[in-house]
Amino acid sequence: AQSVTQLDSQVPVFEEAPVELRCNYSSSVSVYLFWYVQYPNQGLQLLLKYLSGSTLVKGINGFEAEFNKSQTSFHLRKPSVHISDTAEYFCAVRPTNTGNQFYFGTGTSLTVIP
Amino acid sequence: EPEVTQTPSHQVTQMGQEVILRCVPISNHLYFYWYRQILGQKVEFLVSFYNNEISEKSEIFDDQFSVERPDGSNFTLKIRSTKLEDSAMYFCASSEATRGDTQYFGPGTRLTVL
């Protein structure tokens, strides 16, 4: 079985400060990893994904994430946030060999303070 | 950029009534999905659909639920007799392929059962 934990439900951060949104997962099989962002009244938009290869993945809007297999983590980072980054962020995993479904965390609400 | 659309954005219904949630996936995509998110909880997988049949479903997707692709563009989720606990945000998603492929999500339909 797979599960995803996003420990921080809300993260306030000042504009231009760095941010890290944490994601840990538990899985009995190997997984692909994803981060999605949801802006108000919009759908989930893919930020980045890890399928294989380099463990440091760069995505859109200046975000990056690092896959750490030993710690089963996939934390999302941005060195300098903007007001426009205020949104809900979801971490998700998907087994590499079985099924189509994504397993999501509960989400982290990022609020960028001017 | 092509996107997944969903209608309506908000549906209010009485307990026991049937509802149909509609989705228009991205036109060249072959795999379709429904997820739901109860307020404050995780985004949960309901069902995946490929080649005009269900390819995978979760334990949430019981006999009260059904999916259909009535024509070449729409993908619908029907709840036959709604219950209070069906109140949630329902997301439709589509992908070109399976496995590590990105699922593109719509903005969601908020279903409120009274």
Side-chain angles (χ1 to χ4, degrees):
Chain A
Q2 289 75 36
S3 69
V4 178
T5 302
Q6 292 181 248
L7 288 170
D8 307 304
S9 59
Q10 295 185 357
V11 174
V13 62
F14 285 103
E15 193 174 13
E16 297 182 7
V19 70
E20 178 179 83
L21 306 184
R22 295 180 292 170
C23 173
N24 288 85
Y25 69 93
S26 171
S27 178
S28 56
V29 299
S30 61
V31 296
Y32 300 122
L33 298 127
F34 301 79
W35 274 99
Y36 281 85
V37 60
Q38 185 181 30
Y39 299 105
N41 301 315
Q42 295 186 29
L44 300 172
Q45 179 183 358
L46 181 72
L47 270 179
L48 46 79
K49 62 183 178 182
Y50 172 79
L51 303 183
S52 64
S54 172
T55 56
L56 182 63
V57 179
K58 294 190 184 299
I60 62 171
N61 301 339
F63 284 93
E64 63 181 33
E66 185 152 22
F67 169 51
N68 187 319
K69 189 174 182 179
S70 62
Q71 296 186 4
T72 59
S73 67
F74 191 53
H75 301 331
L76 181 71
R77 301 187 192 99
K78 186 170 182 177
S80 175
V81 295
H82 301 131
I83 296 291
S84 59
D85 292 324
T86 294
E88 190 84 15
Y89 291 79
F90 294 93
C91 181
V93 303
R94 179 176 179 177
T96 60
N97 293 323
T98 59
N100 298 320
Q101 63 176 291
F102 278 35
Y103 297 83
F104 282 87
T106 49
T108 297
S109 178
L110 174 65
T111 301
V112 180
I113 304 162
Chain B
E1 185 177 332
E3 58 182 20
V4 176
T5 59
Q6 291 185 243
T7 55
S9 56
H10 191 190
Q11 174 94 43
V12 180
T13 189
Q14 295 289 327
M15 190 169 55
Q17 295 296 305
E18 174 184 285
V19 295
I20 297 176
L21 310 183
R22 291 182 167 79
C23 168
V24 179
I26 294 173
S27 61
N28 64 331
H29 285 185
L30 302 176
Y31 295 81
F32 314 114
Y33 313 86
W34 284 102
Y35 291 80
R36 78 171 186 191
Q37 184 182 28
I38 296 171
L39 190 64
Q41 299 185 24
K42 299 185 179 191
V43 176
E44 300 172 292
F45 171 80
L46 292 178
V47 65
S48 62
F49 190 85
Y50 169 72
N51 200 25
N52 284 319
E53 61 183 28
I54 291 172
S55 52
E56 189 178 356
K57 62 181 182 178
S58 71
E59 58 272 14
I60 302 169
F61 194 87
D62 61 21
D63 292 344
Q64 294 292 332
F65 293 90
S66 62
V67 289
E68 193 178 33
R69 188 156 163 82
D71 53 44
S73 59
N74 289 284
F75 179 52
T76 62
L77 174 69
K78 182 193 291 186
I79 309 175
R80 266 181 263 285
S81 177
T82 50
K83 302 186 278 268
L84 294 176
E85 54 265 38
D86 294 327
S87 294
M89 181 73 88
Y90 288 81
F91 294 104
C92 173
S94 69
S95 65
E96 272 188 85
T98 186
R99 294 290 169 253
D101 203 45
T102 300
Q103 292 182 11
Y104 294 84
F105 286 78
T109 293
R110 179 163 296 286
L111 176 65
T112 302
V113 182
L114 302 175

Short mmCIF file of all heavy atoms in Angstrom, two decimals, chain A residues 41-101:
data_model
loop_
_atom_site.label_atom_id
_atom_site.label_comp_id
_atom_site.label_asym_id
_atom_site.label_seq_id
_atom_site.Cartn_x
_atom_site.Cartn_y
_atom_site.Cartn_z
N ASN A 41 -9.58 28.38 -7.49
CA ASN A 41 -10.58 28.17 -8.54
C ASN A 41 -9.99 27.57 -9.82
O ASN A 41 -10.57 27.73 -10.90
CB ASN A 41 -11.31 29.48 -8.87
CG ASN A 41 -12.00 30.05 -7.67
OD1 ASN A 41 -12.65 29.33 -6.92
ND2 ASN A 41 -11.82 31.34 -7.45
N GLN A 42 -8.88 26.91 -9.71
CA GLN A 42 -8.29 26.26 -10.87
C GLN A 42 -8.02 24.78 -10.56
O GLN A 42 -8.15 24.32 -9.43
CB GLN A 42 -6.99 26.94 -11.27
CG GLN A 42 -7.18 28.38 -11.74
CD GLN A 42 -5.91 28.98 -12.28
OE1 GLN A 42 -5.04 28.29 -12.80
NE2 GLN A 42 -5.78 30.30 -12.15
N GLY A 43 -7.69 24.03 -11.62
CA GLY A 43 -7.37 22.62 -11.46
C GLY A 43 -5.97 22.41 -10.94
O GLY A 43 -5.21 23.36 -10.72
N LEU A 44 -5.61 21.16 -10.73
CA LEU A 44 -4.26 20.81 -10.30
C LEU A 44 -3.32 20.90 -11.50
O LEU A 44 -3.58 20.30 -12.54
CB LEU A 44 -4.25 19.39 -9.74
CG LEU A 44 -5.15 19.14 -8.53
CD1 LEU A 44 -5.20 17.66 -8.20
CD2 LEU A 44 -4.67 19.93 -7.35
N GLN A 45 -2.24 21.63 -11.33
CA GLN A 45 -1.27 21.82 -12.41
C GLN A 45 0.05 21.17 -12.03
O GLN A 45 0.52 21.36 -10.90
CB GLN A 45 -1.08 23.32 -12.64
CG GLN A 45 -0.07 23.68 -13.72
CD GLN A 45 0.13 25.18 -13.83
OE1 GLN A 45 -0.50 25.96 -13.14
NE2 GLN A 45 1.01 25.58 -14.72
N LEU A 46 0.63 20.41 -12.94
CA LEU A 46 1.88 19.74 -12.62
C LEU A 46 3.01 20.74 -12.47
O LEU A 46 3.24 21.58 -13.34
CB LEU A 46 2.23 18.74 -13.73
CG LEU A 46 3.52 17.96 -13.49
CD1 LEU A 46 3.31 16.94 -12.37
CD2 LEU A 46 3.98 17.27 -14.77
N LEU A 47 3.73 20.65 -11.35
CA LEU A 47 4.92 21.47 -11.13
C LEU A 47 6.17 20.74 -11.62
O LEU A 47 7.01 21.30 -12.29
CB LEU A 47 5.10 21.73 -9.63
CG LEU A 47 4.45 22.95 -9.01
CD1 LEU A 47 4.77 22.98 -7.52
CD2 LEU A 47 4.93 24.23 -9.68
N LEU A 48 6.28 19.48 -11.21
CA LEU A 48 7.44 18.67 -11.60
C LEU A 48 7.16 17.22 -11.27
O LEU A 48 6.21 16.92 -10.54
CB LEU A 48 8.71 19.15 -10.88
CG LEU A 48 8.64 19.42 -9.39
CD1 LEU A 48 8.72 18.14 -8.58
CD2 LEU A 48 9.78 20.35 -8.95
N LYS A 49 8.02 16.35 -11.82
CA LYS A 49 7.87 14.93 -11.54
C LYS A 49 9.22 14.25 -11.57
O LYS A 49 10.14 14.70 -12.26
CB LYS A 49 6.93 14.26 -12.53
CG LYS A 49 7.39 14.31 -13.99
CD LYS A 49 6.33 13.67 -14.90
CE LYS A 49 6.76 13.75 -16.36
NZ LYS A 49 5.72 13.18 -17.27
N TYR A 50 9.32 13.17 -10.79
CA TYR A 50 10.50 12.33 -10.82
C TYR A 50 10.08 10.95 -11.32
O TYR A 50 9.23 10.29 -10.72
CB TYR A 50 11.14 12.20 -9.43
CG TYR A 50 12.25 11.19 -9.41
CD1 TYR A 50 13.51 11.53 -9.91
CD2 TYR A 50 12.05 9.89 -8.97
CE1 TYR A 50 14.53 10.58 -9.94
CE2 TYR A 50 13.06 8.95 -8.99
CZ TYR A 50 14.29 9.30 -9.48
OH TYR A 50 15.29 8.36 -9.52
N LEU A 51 10.72 10.52 -12.41
CA LEU A 51 10.46 9.19 -12.93
C LEU A 51 11.69 8.30 -12.75
O LEU A 51 11.58 7.13 -12.36
CB LEU A 51 10.08 9.25 -14.42
CG LEU A 51 8.88 10.13 -14.77
CD1 LEU A 51 8.57 10.06 -16.26
CD2 LEU A 51 7.65 9.75 -13.96
N SER A 52 12.86 8.85 -13.09
CA SER A 52 14.12 8.11 -12.95
C SER A 52 15.26 9.09 -13.18
O SER A 52 15.04 10.26 -13.50
CB SER A 52 14.19 6.94 -13.94
OG SER A 52 14.20 7.44 -15.26
N GLY A 53 16.50 8.62 -13.01
CA GLY A 53 17.66 9.45 -13.33
C GLY A 53 18.04 10.37 -12.20
O GLY A 53 17.96 9.99 -11.02
N SER A 54 18.45 11.58 -12.53
CA SER A 54 18.92 12.53 -11.53
C SER A 54 17.87 12.74 -10.45
O SER A 54 16.68 12.95 -10.75
CB SER A 54 19.25 13.87 -12.19
OG SER A 54 19.53 14.85 -11.21
N THR A 55 18.32 12.72 -9.22
CA THR A 55 17.37 12.85 -8.11
C THR A 55 16.92 14.28 -7.88
O THR A 55 15.96 14.51 -7.16
CB THR A 55 17.98 12.31 -6.81
OG1 THR A 55 19.20 13.00 -6.55
CG2 THR A 55 18.24 10.81 -6.93
N LEU A 56 17.61 15.23 -8.48
CA LEU A 56 17.20 16.64 -8.38
C LEU A 56 16.40 16.98 -9.64
O LEU A 56 16.91 16.91 -10.75
CB LEU A 56 18.42 17.55 -8.25
CG LEU A 56 18.11 19.04 -8.09
CD1 LEU A 56 17.33 19.29 -6.80
CD2 LEU A 56 19.40 19.86 -8.11
N VAL A 57 15.18 17.36 -9.42
CA VAL A 57 14.28 17.62 -10.54
C VAL A 57 13.88 19.08 -10.53
O VAL A 57 13.51 19.62 -9.48
CB VAL A 57 13.00 16.75 -10.41
CG1 VAL A 57 12.06 17.03 -11.55
CG2 VAL A 57 13.37 15.28 -10.36
N LYS A 58 13.97 19.71 -11.68
CA LYS A 58 13.55 21.12 -11.78
C LYS A 58 12.21 21.19 -12.48
O LYS A 58 11.93 20.45 -13.44
CB LYS A 58 14.60 21.92 -12.54
CG LYS A 58 15.93 22.01 -11.77
CD LYS A 58 16.87 22.99 -12.41
CE LYS A 58 18.22 23.00 -11.69
NZ LYS A 58 18.11 23.40 -10.27
N GLY A 59 11.37 22.10 -11.98
CA GLY A 59 10.04 22.24 -12.56
C GLY A 59 9.76 23.65 -13.02
O GLY A 59 10.68 24.46 -13.19
N ILE A 60 8.48 23.94 -13.14
CA ILE A 60 8.09 25.27 -13.60
C ILE A 60 8.15 26.27 -12.46
O ILE A 60 8.19 25.88 -11.28
CB ILE A 60 6.68 25.26 -14.22
CG1 ILE A 60 5.64 24.83 -13.18
CG2 ILE A 60 6.64 24.33 -15.44
CD1 ILE A 60 4.20 24.99 -13.65
N ASN A 61 8.15 27.54 -12.81
CA ASN A 61 8.08 28.63 -11.85
C ASN A 61 9.21 28.63 -10.83
O ASN A 61 9.06 29.16 -9.73
CB ASN A 61 6.73 28.61 -11.09
CG ASN A 61 5.55 28.73 -12.02
OD1 ASN A 61 5.67 29.19 -13.16
ND2 ASN A 61 4.39 28.29 -11.57
N GLY A 62 10.37 28.06 -11.20
CA GLY A 62 11.53 28.11 -10.33
C GLY A 62 11.56 27.08 -9.21
O GLY A 62 12.44 27.13 -8.34
N PHE A 63 10.61 26.17 -9.20
CA PHE A 63 10.58 25.13 -8.17
C PHE A 63 11.50 23.96 -8.54
O PHE A 63 11.73 23.68 -9.70
CB PHE A 63 9.15 24.61 -7.97
CG PHE A 63 8.27 25.54 -7.20
CD1 PHE A 63 7.49 26.48 -7.84
CD2 PHE A 63 8.24 25.48 -5.81
CE1 PHE A 63 6.67 27.35 -7.12
CE2 PHE A 63 7.42 26.34 -5.08
CZ PHE A 63 6.65 27.28 -5.74
N GLU A 64 11.99 23.30 -7.51
CA GLU A 64 12.75 22.07 -7.69
C GLU A 64 12.44 21.13 -6.53
O GLU A 64 11.95 21.56 -5.48
CB GLU A 64 14.26 22.34 -7.77
CG GLU A 64 14.87 22.93 -6.51
CD GLU A 64 16.35 23.20 -6.67
OE1 GLU A 64 16.81 23.53 -7.78
OE2 GLU A 64 17.06 23.07 -5.65
N ALA A 65 12.75 19.86 -6.75
CA ALA A 65 12.53 18.88 -5.69
C ALA A 65 13.63 17.83 -5.77
O ALA A 65 14.17 17.57 -6.85
CB ALA A 65 11.16 18.22 -5.83
N GLU A 66 13.92 17.24 -4.64
CA GLU A 66 14.95 16.22 -4.59
C GLU A 66 14.39 14.93 -4.04
O GLU A 66 13.79 14.90 -2.96
CB GLU A 66 16.13 16.68 -3.74
CG GLU A 66 17.29 15.69 -3.78
CD GLU A 66 18.63 16.34 -3.55
OE1 GLU A 66 18.66 17.44 -2.97
OE2 GLU A 66 19.64 15.75 -3.96
N PHE A 67 14.58 13.87 -4.81
CA PHE A 67 14.14 12.55 -4.39
C PHE A 67 15.23 11.94 -3.52
O PHE A 67 16.39 11.86 -3.91
CB PHE A 67 13.91 11.68 -5.62
CG PHE A 67 13.70 10.22 -5.34
CD1 PHE A 67 12.76 9.82 -4.40
CD2 PHE A 67 14.42 9.26 -6.01
CE1 PHE A 67 12.55 8.47 -4.14
CE2 PHE A 67 14.22 7.91 -5.76
CZ PHE A 67 13.30 7.51 -4.82
N ASN A 68 14.84 11.54 -2.32
CA ASN A 68 15.77 10.87 -1.41
C ASN A 68 15.19 9.51 -1.07
O ASN A 68 14.27 9.40 -0.26
CB ASN A 68 15.96 11.72 -0.14
CG ASN A 68 17.05 11.17 0.76
OD1 ASN A 68 17.15 9.96 0.94
ND2 ASN A 68 17.86 12.05 1.31
N LYS A 69 15.75 8.49 -1.71
CA LYS A 69 15.18 7.16 -1.56
C LYS A 69 15.33 6.63 -0.14
O LYS A 69 14.41 6.00 0.40
CB LYS A 69 15.84 6.20 -2.56
CG LYS A 69 15.18 4.84 -2.64
CD LYS A 69 15.78 4.00 -3.74
CE LYS A 69 15.07 2.66 -3.84
NZ LYS A 69 15.64 1.82 -4.93
N SER A 70 16.48 6.89 0.47
CA SER A 70 16.71 6.34 1.81
C SER A 70 15.77 6.96 2.84
O SER A 70 15.38 6.30 3.81
CB SER A 70 18.16 6.56 2.23
OG SER A 70 18.45 7.95 2.30
N GLN A 71 15.42 8.23 2.63
CA GLN A 71 14.50 8.89 3.56
C GLN A 71 13.07 8.89 3.04
O GLN A 71 12.19 9.45 3.69
CB GLN A 71 14.96 10.33 3.80
CG GLN A 71 16.33 10.40 4.49
CD GLN A 71 16.72 11.82 4.87
OE1 GLN A 71 15.95 12.76 4.69
NE2 GLN A 71 17.93 11.97 5.37
N THR A 72 12.86 8.26 1.90
CA THR A 72 11.53 8.23 1.24
C THR A 72 10.90 9.62 1.27
O THR A 72 9.76 9.80 1.74
CB THR A 72 10.60 7.18 1.86
OG1 THR A 72 10.40 7.44 3.25
CG2 THR A 72 11.17 5.79 1.68
N SER A 73 11.66 10.58 0.77
CA SER A 73 11.16 11.96 0.76
C SER A 73 11.28 12.56 -0.63
O SER A 73 12.08 12.11 -1.46
CB SER A 73 11.92 12.83 1.76
OG SER A 73 13.27 12.99 1.36
N PHE A 74 10.48 13.59 -0.85
CA PHE A 74 10.49 14.30 -2.12
C PHE A 74 10.08 15.74 -1.80
O PHE A 74 9.00 16.20 -2.15
CB PHE A 74 9.53 13.64 -3.10
CG PHE A 74 9.64 14.12 -4.54
CD1 PHE A 74 10.85 14.13 -5.20
CD2 PHE A 74 8.50 14.54 -5.22
CE1 PHE A 74 10.94 14.56 -6.52
CE2 PHE A 74 8.59 14.97 -6.54
CZ PHE A 74 9.81 14.98 -7.18
N HIS A 75 10.96 16.46 -1.14
CA HIS A 75 10.65 17.81 -0.68
C HIS A 75 10.75 18.82 -1.82
O HIS A 75 11.65 18.74 -2.66
CB HIS A 75 11.60 18.22 0.45
CG HIS A 75 11.54 17.33 1.65
ND1 HIS A 75 10.40 16.63 2.02
CD2 HIS A 75 12.49 17.03 2.58
CE1 HIS A 75 10.64 15.93 3.10
NE2 HIS A 75 11.89 16.15 3.46
N LEU A 76 9.86 19.76 -1.79
CA LEU A 76 9.79 20.81 -2.83
C LEU A 76 10.43 22.08 -2.29
O LEU A 76 10.17 22.47 -1.16
CB LEU A 76 8.32 21.08 -3.18
CG LEU A 76 8.02 22.12 -4.25
CD1 LEU A 76 8.43 21.60 -5.62
CD2 LEU A 76 6.53 22.46 -4.25
N ARG A 77 11.22 22.74 -3.14
CA ARG A 77 11.93 23.94 -2.69
C ARG A 77 11.86 25.04 -3.74
O ARG A 77 11.73 24.77 -4.93
CB ARG A 77 13.41 23.65 -2.43
CG ARG A 77 13.68 22.59 -1.41
CD ARG A 77 15.16 22.51 -1.10
NE ARG A 77 15.46 21.31 -0.33
CZ ARG A 77 15.93 20.18 -0.83
NH1 ARG A 77 16.21 20.09 -2.12
NH2 ARG A 77 16.16 19.14 -0.06
N LYS A 78 11.94 26.27 -3.23
CA LYS A 78 12.11 27.41 -4.11
C LYS A 78 12.97 28.42 -3.36
O LYS A 78 12.68 28.72 -2.20
CB LYS A 78 10.77 28.02 -4.51
CG LYS A 78 10.90 29.13 -5.54
CD LYS A 78 9.57 29.57 -6.11
CE LYS A 78 9.78 30.65 -7.17
NZ LYS A 78 8.52 31.08 -7.83
N PRO A 79 14.01 28.94 -4.00
CA PRO A 79 14.94 29.81 -3.28
C PRO A 79 14.37 31.19 -2.95
O PRO A 79 14.82 31.82 -1.99
CB PRO A 79 16.14 29.93 -4.24
CG PRO A 79 15.62 29.53 -5.57
CD PRO A 79 14.48 28.60 -5.35
N SER A 80 13.39 31.64 -3.73
CA SER A 80 12.85 32.98 -3.50
C SER A 80 11.40 33.01 -4.00
O SER A 80 11.16 32.93 -5.20
CB SER A 80 13.69 34.02 -4.24
OG SER A 80 13.13 35.31 -4.13
N VAL A 81 10.46 33.11 -3.07
CA VAL A 81 9.05 33.01 -3.48
C VAL A 81 8.48 34.37 -3.85
O VAL A 81 8.94 35.42 -3.38
CB VAL A 81 8.18 32.37 -2.37
CG1 VAL A 81 8.61 30.93 -2.15
CG2 VAL A 81 8.25 33.17 -1.07
N HIS A 82 7.43 34.31 -4.68
CA HIS A 82 6.70 35.50 -5.07
C HIS A 82 5.27 35.42 -4.55
O HIS A 82 4.79 34.33 -4.22
CB HIS A 82 6.67 35.62 -6.61
CG HIS A 82 8.02 35.69 -7.21
ND1 HIS A 82 8.41 34.90 -8.27
CD2 HIS A 82 9.11 36.45 -6.91
CE1 HIS A 82 9.67 35.16 -8.59
NE2 HIS A 82 10.10 36.10 -7.78
N ILE A 83 4.61 36.56 -4.54
CA ILE A 83 3.21 36.59 -4.11
C ILE A 83 2.38 35.60 -4.93
O ILE A 83 1.49 34.93 -4.40
CB ILE A 83 2.63 38.01 -4.28
CG1 ILE A 83 3.34 39.01 -3.37
CG2 ILE A 83 1.12 38.02 -4.02
CD1 ILE A 83 3.06 38.81 -1.91
N SER A 84 2.72 35.49 -6.20
CA SER A 84 1.94 34.62 -7.10
C SER A 84 2.11 33.13 -6.79
O SER A 84 1.38 32.31 -7.35
CB SER A 84 2.34 34.88 -8.55
OG SER A 84 3.73 34.65 -8.72
N ASP A 85 3.02 32.79 -5.91
CA ASP A 85 3.19 31.38 -5.51
C ASP A 85 2.19 30.96 -4.46
O ASP A 85 2.13 29.77 -4.10
CB ASP A 85 4.62 31.15 -4.99
CG ASP A 85 5.67 31.29 -6.08
OD1 ASP A 85 5.39 30.89 -7.23
OD2 ASP A 85 6.77 31.81 -5.77
N THR A 86 1.41 31.88 -3.95
CA THR A 86 0.37 31.54 -2.97
C THR A 86 -0.62 30.57 -3.60
O THR A 86 -1.27 30.89 -4.60
CB THR A 86 -0.35 32.81 -2.50
OG1 THR A 86 0.57 33.63 -1.78
CG2 THR A 86 -1.53 32.46 -1.60
N ALA A 87 -0.71 29.37 -3.04
CA ALA A 87 -1.53 28.31 -3.62
C ALA A 87 -1.48 27.09 -2.71
O ALA A 87 -0.80 27.09 -1.69
CB ALA A 87 -1.00 27.93 -5.02
N GLU A 88 -2.22 26.07 -3.13
CA GLU A 88 -2.19 24.77 -2.44
C GLU A 88 -1.26 23.85 -3.22
O GLU A 88 -1.33 23.78 -4.45
CB GLU A 88 -3.60 24.18 -2.40
CG GLU A 88 -3.77 22.98 -1.52
CD GLU A 88 -4.03 23.34 -0.06
OE1 GLU A 88 -4.36 24.51 0.21
OE2 GLU A 88 -3.90 22.45 0.80
N TYR A 89 -0.39 23.14 -2.52
CA TYR A 89 0.59 22.27 -3.16
C TYR A 89 0.36 20.82 -2.71
O TYR A 89 0.25 20.54 -1.52
CB TYR A 89 2.02 22.72 -2.80
CG TYR A 89 2.37 24.04 -3.43
CD1 TYR A 89 1.92 25.24 -2.87
CD2 TYR A 89 3.11 24.11 -4.61
CE1 TYR A 89 2.21 26.46 -3.46
CE2 TYR A 89 3.40 25.33 -5.20
CZ TYR A 89 2.95 26.49 -4.63
OH TYR A 89 3.23 27.70 -5.22
N PHE A 90 0.29 19.94 -3.69
CA PHE A 90 0.01 18.53 -3.42
C PHE A 90 1.17 17.66 -3.91
O PHE A 90 1.59 17.79 -5.05
CB PHE A 90 -1.26 18.08 -4.14
CG PHE A 90 -2.51 18.72 -3.64
CD1 PHE A 90 -3.00 19.87 -4.25
CD2 PHE A 90 -3.21 18.19 -2.56
CE1 PHE A 90 -4.16 20.48 -3.80
CE2 PHE A 90 -4.37 18.79 -2.11
CZ PHE A 90 -4.85 19.93 -2.72
N CYS A 91 1.59 16.77 -3.04
CA CYS A 91 2.57 15.76 -3.39
C CYS A 91 1.80 14.47 -3.73
O CYS A 91 0.77 14.18 -3.10
CB CYS A 91 3.49 15.52 -2.19
SG CYS A 91 4.79 14.30 -2.46
N ALA A 92 2.26 13.73 -4.73
CA ALA A 92 1.57 12.51 -5.12
C ALA A 92 2.58 11.46 -5.57
O ALA A 92 3.65 11.79 -6.08
CB ALA A 92 0.57 12.80 -6.25
N VAL A 93 2.21 10.20 -5.39
CA VAL A 93 3.03 9.09 -5.88
C VAL A 93 2.17 8.18 -6.73
O VAL A 93 0.94 8.16 -6.61
CB VAL A 93 3.66 8.27 -4.72
CG1 VAL A 93 4.50 9.17 -3.83
CG2 VAL A 93 2.61 7.52 -3.93
N ARG A 94 2.86 7.44 -7.58
CA ARG A 94 2.17 6.47 -8.42
C ARG A 94 3.08 5.27 -8.58
O ARG A 94 4.23 5.42 -8.97
CB ARG A 94 1.87 7.10 -9.77
CG ARG A 94 1.18 6.19 -10.73
CD ARG A 94 0.85 6.94 -12.00
NE ARG A 94 0.21 6.07 -12.95
CZ ARG A 94 -0.25 6.48 -14.12
NH1 ARG A 94 -0.14 7.73 -14.47
NH2 ARG A 94 -0.83 5.63 -14.93
N PRO A 95 2.61 4.06 -8.29
CA PRO A 95 3.46 2.87 -8.45
C PRO A 95 3.96 2.74 -9.88
O PRO A 95 3.23 3.03 -10.84
CB PRO A 95 2.51 1.72 -8.07
CG PRO A 95 1.48 2.36 -7.21
CD PRO A 95 1.30 3.75 -7.75
N THR A 96 5.19 2.28 -10.02
CA THR A 96 5.76 2.19 -11.35
C THR A 96 5.23 0.99 -12.14
O THR A 96 5.23 1.01 -13.36
CB THR A 96 7.29 2.07 -11.28
OG1 THR A 96 7.63 0.89 -10.53
CG2 THR A 96 7.91 3.27 -10.60
N ASN A 97 4.78 -0.03 -11.44
CA ASN A 97 4.45 -1.26 -12.14
C ASN A 97 2.99 -1.66 -12.11
O ASN A 97 2.58 -2.53 -12.87
CB ASN A 97 5.28 -2.42 -11.57
CG ASN A 97 6.75 -2.24 -11.87
OD1 ASN A 97 7.12 -1.77 -12.93
ND2 ASN A 97 7.59 -2.59 -10.93
N THR A 98 2.24 -1.09 -11.23
CA THR A 98 0.85 -1.53 -11.12
C THR A 98 -0.09 -0.34 -11.04
O THR A 98 0.19 0.63 -10.35
CB THR A 98 0.63 -2.38 -9.85
OG1 THR A 98 0.98 -1.61 -8.71
CG2 THR A 98 1.47 -3.64 -9.90
N GLY A 99 -1.20 -0.40 -11.72
CA GLY A 99 -2.27 0.56 -11.54
C GLY A 99 -2.03 1.91 -12.16
O GLY A 99 -0.92 2.24 -12.59
N ASN A 100 -3.10 2.68 -12.22
CA ASN A 100 -3.05 4.01 -12.79
C ASN A 100 -3.22 5.11 -11.77
O ASN A 100 -3.00 6.27 -12.06
CB ASN A 100 -4.18 4.17 -13.82
CG ASN A 100 -4.04 3.22 -14.96
OD1 ASN A 100 -2.96 2.98 -15.44
ND2 ASN A 100 -5.16 2.65 -15.40
N GLN A 101 -3.64 4.74 -10.57
CA GLN A 101 -4.04 5.80 -9.66
C GLN A 101 -2.87 6.50 -9.01
O GLN A 101 -1.82 5.92 -8.77
CB GLN A 101 -4.98 5.25 -8.60
CG GLN A 101 -4.38 4.20 -7.68
CD GLN A 101 -5.39 3.82 -6.60
OE1 GLN A 101 -5.70 4.61 -5.72
NE2 GLN A 101 -5.92 2.60 -6.68
#
